[in-house]
Amino acid sequence: MFVLLPPSETKRPGGDGPPIDLGALALPSLRPLREQVVDGLIALSADEDASARVLKLSARRLHEIADNAALRSAATLPAVDRYTGVLFDALDAGTLDASARAWLGSHVLIHSAPFGPVGALDGIPVYRLAASTSLPGLPSPRRIWADAVTTAMGRARPDFVVDLRSEAYAALGPVPADVDGVYVRVVSESSDGTVRALNHFNKKAKGHLARALASTHAEIGSRGALVEWARSQGIVMRDRGVGEVELLV
């Protein structure tokens, strides 16, 4: 079982882990693409004006160029601890016990822009790059990643995939067609039955869902089993068919 999470633009600084080892990350067949994107991001960092333009950096964020320049030498943190923001604050991985964190390491992939999907406990440095950003001299992110990530996930042969990514990151690596999986949409339902998608609470609900999965060491193999597990945890989830479920908040 895989649980796929999006990354966050905000990240915890520093770290106490060794520099990133691109060959040791989850889905190792992606290493050549990781090398290519990391090299492109480091090369871009040599030009402050170009970096600011390509990465859409305000004057207050120019220090992030130095983060990109140090991608291969900077200290790392486990990916699930590196990211901050609404989803990761709700997941609150730092307060999980050792067995729940081990579950995260075995089941959760966080889809980063420069490294592709990485394991929750894989060490990564601070960086600045968005899913939609094309680096000079490289193809678009979708052309770089989509087919390769789908192939890599297929080789990993998960029994089931719970996709909590945003649509932008899901486009950078669709779940293989022959792998059983479900895309989770977070919605609210008014008293008249009107359903609407959420933004802030979407991220918070996905973080809480990932935490519940880790805390219960969930092993789920089908859409129906996911809905049943959710019910047992007091989580309202509705099967919409065609590979989707709605998470109601």
Side-chain angles (χ1 to χ4, degrees), residues 6-221:
S8 173
E9 181 177 317
T10 57
K11 301 169 187 72
R12 187 169 286 108
D16 55 10
I20 191 167
D21 180 351
L22 296 176
L25 301 177
L27 306 182
S29 65
L30 297 177
R31 180 173 183 172
L33 298 181
R34 289 166 171 154
E35 299 278 2
Q36 185 179 23
V37 176
V38 167
D39 285 346
L41 201 49
I42 291 173
L44 177 63
S45 69
D47 186 329
E48 182 175 286
D49 291 340
S51 290
R53 182 179 66 255
V54 170
L55 303 176
K56 298 180 172 61
L57 297 176
S58 67
R60 296 177 58 187
R61 309 306 300 178
L62 291 179
H63 65 275
E64 294 181 324
I65 299 172
D67 292 333
N68 286 345
L71 276 177
R72 290 190 180 273
S73 59
T76 58
L77 282 173
V80 75
D81 300 319
R82 174 66 74 193
Y83 295 108
T84 61
V86 176
L87 189 156
F88 290 92
D89 289 348
L91 172 54
D92 199 10
T95 64
L96 291 171
D97 63 27
S99 62
R101 284 183 64 88
W103 187 96
L104 290 174
S106 298
H107 296 82
V108 170
L109 296 175
I110 303 173
H111 200 145
S112 75
F115 315 120
V118 300
L121 301 184
D122 287 348
I124 62 171
V126 179
Y127 67 86
R128 175 61 181 253
L129 186 67
S132 60
T133 301
S134 295
L135 295 174
L138 294 181
S140 70
R142 189 165 185 170
R143 287 183 62 192
I144 291 172
W145 292 112
D147 290 345
V149 170
T150 298
T151 298
M153 280 197 283
R155 288 174 179 164
R157 304 184 64 82
D159 295 328
F160 187 65
V161 175
V162 179
D163 194 346
L164 302 180
R165 295 174 296 177
S166 62
E167 291 185 359
Y169 277 95
L172 298 187
V175 175
D178 60 349
V179 172
D180 191 13
V182 63
Y183 189 83
V184 178
R185 296 190 184 277
V186 180
V187 301
S188 67
E189 187 173 56
S190 63
S191 57
D192 65 0
T194 301
V195 174
R196 64 186 181 90
L198 300 175
N199 186 13
H200 175 89
F201 290 104
N202 161 47
K203 296 177 182 178
K204 186 173 183 179
K206 287 178 177 179
H208 285 314
L209 177 61
R211 183 179 178 88
L213 288 164
S215 297
T216 59
H217 306 160
E219 295 294 342
I220 295 168

